[in-house]
Amino acid sequence: MTSEQTSVRDDDATDVRQVAVASAVATVEAERNGLEALIRALKGPLATAFAQAVTTIREARGRVVVTGMGKSGHVARKIAATLASTGTPAYYVHPAEASHGDLGMITADDVIIALSWSGETAELRDLVNYSRRFDAPLIAFTARGDSTLGRMASTLLEVPAAQEACPLGLAPTTSTVMLLALGDAIAVALLEGRGFTALQFRQFHPGGKLGASLSFVRDVMRGGEALPLVRTGTLMGETLVEMSGKGLGCVAVIDAQGHLTGIVTDGDLRRHMANDLVVQPVERVMTPSPKTVRSDQLASEALKIMNAQKITSLLVADDRRPVGVLHIHDLLHIGVA
């Protein structure tokens, strides 16, 4: 291949990259414009309806049923999942399946959130009629308040019209981002309104990295016989035996009352290395007032401390008494670090 041919191929590749990046930027800008329009609406004409929707869901005796067709259906599934994971019982019902028996899953105590950008999705008809027949609250997410769905809704959240990122104006792009953001906004408003905590969040997320980060320190630490521990006055020779035997690279030092007074680490040993090290009392070598965490703190909080202090082991103390050691390897093992 000649140098001229190589140059042409490089130029072609550069053109492809530039076109792709320009398309990506235009897509994100279009979706950003849609979100900005939604923000303006929430600060203005949509505010009252949004607050009403949140109140309706919060006061409901049943669950939240989220529904939608096509791309709106995919968004509806995500909204239902977000609501459920943040303390609002919710599930997705496919509108076509609803017409073939799944309407029996919905009660008058439930709240229905129906998503349809046009508001004229044919598959929603039976579900909407069912909600009106049994007087189940119906919250509509649609861009057309004068549509069938908009007129039938007990609470109408009319999303502002926006330009789709798709250059053909056909594929739902900006519209689905806006519907998803509106659903997230409701979920977060409900979460904040009920004072939902990280510990409650953990109940619904016990698995994966997220669940691991919400584990308690007491669930991960090494305590009991695995805790390396000596009293003040102990000679460093005995301290080294305890430290080596437990294999955590540190040892906690307590006073006569059992209160934590210091820690000896590998770094302390290097700083005090001398021929008479083994006959020195531990308090001459230890680092006093070490950083600690409580056993009831989250593992993710402990990891932040370890990263900030640039340490691999962290003592766990309750009421000034050491109860365990948390090692970075333990956090890695459960997937926190």
Side-chain angles (χ1 to χ4, degrees):
M1 183 179 294
T2 66
S3 59
E4 289 81 3
Q5 289 173 319
T6 301
S7 177
V8 169
R9 290 188 61 180
D10 290 342
D11 290 343
D12 289 343
T14 299
D15 290 342
V16 169
R17 286 195 297 270
Q18 290 175 342
V19 170
V21 170
S23 175
V25 170
T27 297
V28 176
E29 286 180 343
E31 294 180 347
R32 180 194 63 192
N33 292 339
L35 290 175
E36 289 176 345
L38 180 59
I39 291 172
R40 290 192 295 271
L42 284 168
K43 291 180 177 179
L46 202 54
T48 300
F50 181 85
Q52 181 182 338
V54 170
T55 299
T56 298
I57 295 172
R58 186 172 58 240
E59 295 179 351
R61 291 178 295 177
R63 296 174 294 176
V64 178
V65 178
V66 193
T67 187
M69 195 69 189
K71 302 302 183 292
S72 292
H74 293 305
V75 174
R77 290 178 188 272
K78 193 276 179 185
I79 292 173
T82 299
L83 287 167
S85 70
T86 53
T88 301
Y91 62 100
Y92 171 78
V93 170
H94 193 290
E97 295 294 339
S99 299
H100 295 273
D102 282 1
L103 284 174
M105 301 168 65
I106 307 171
T107 74
D109 291 333
D110 295 333
V111 176
I112 300 171
I113 298 178
L115 281 64
S116 172
W117 190 253
S118 68
E120 299 294 346
T121 304
E123 291 84 355
L124 287 173
R125 182 184 63 247
D126 290 339
L127 197 151
V128 170
N129 289 337
Y130 183 86
S131 74
R132 297 303 82 201
R133 186 179 311 125
F134 291 96
D135 201 28
L138 174 64
I139 300 171
F141 288 14
T142 180
R144 290 187 53 193
D146 60 349
S147 63
T148 301
L149 177 61
R151 293 194 305 271
M152 297 287 282
S154 51
T155 302
L156 168 63
L157 296 181
E158 186 170 0
V159 184
Q163 180 73 35
E164 296 285 12
C166 169
L168 302 177
L170 300 175
T173 45
T174 305
S175 57
T176 51
V177 169
M178 295 171 71
L179 292 174
L180 180 59
L182 187 57
D184 285 343
I186 284 182
V188 173
L190 290 165
L191 178 155
E192 293 179 338
R194 67 168 58 91
F196 195 74
T197 67
L199 298 183
Q200 291 172 303
F201 192 80
R202 181 176 183 267
Q203 295 174 10
F204 306 118
H205 298 79
K209 186 176 179 66
L210 183 57
S213 68
L214 293 172
S215 298
F216 291 109
V217 168
R218 62 172 174 262
D219 299 327
V220 189
M221 72 181 191
R222 305 191 198 187
E225 292 298 321
L227 171 62
L229 193 66
V230 297
R231 291 184 180 275
T232 53
T234 304
L235 297 182
M236 281 301 300
E238 185 179 342
T239 301
L240 287 170
V241 171
E242 176 73 2
M243 187 172 175
S244 300
K246 300 300 172 62
L248 292 173
C250 68
V251 60
V253 183
I254 59 174
D255 60 19
Q257 288 74 43
H259 296 149
L260 180 67
T261 61
I263 186 174
V264 178
T265 66
D266 292 333
D268 294 315
L269 297 181
R270 289 191 296 271
R271 285 188 290 273
H272 292 84
M273 189 61 66
N275 292 334
D276 63 345
L277 174 63
V278 294
V279 297
Q280 294 294 326
V282 67
E283 52 266 35
R284 290 191 181 180
V285 178
M286 72 180 189
T287 298
S289 303
K291 191 70 177 178
T292 65
V293 289
R294 301 186 315 277
S295 62
D296 61 355
Q297 287 184 253
L298 294 176
S300 56
E301 295 179 282
L303 178 61
K304 290 180 181 178
I305 294 172
M306 295 170 80
N307 287 334
Q309 299 292 322
K310 294 181 173 59
I311 55 178
T312 58
S313 295
L314 185 62
L315 291 178
V316 184
D318 293 334
D319 297 324
R320 296 174 56 203
R321 297 178 183 274
V323 294
V325 176
L326 190 62
H327 195 277
I328 190 67
H329 289 165
D330 300 321
L331 297 177
L332 286 167
H333 180 71
I334 67 169
V336 177

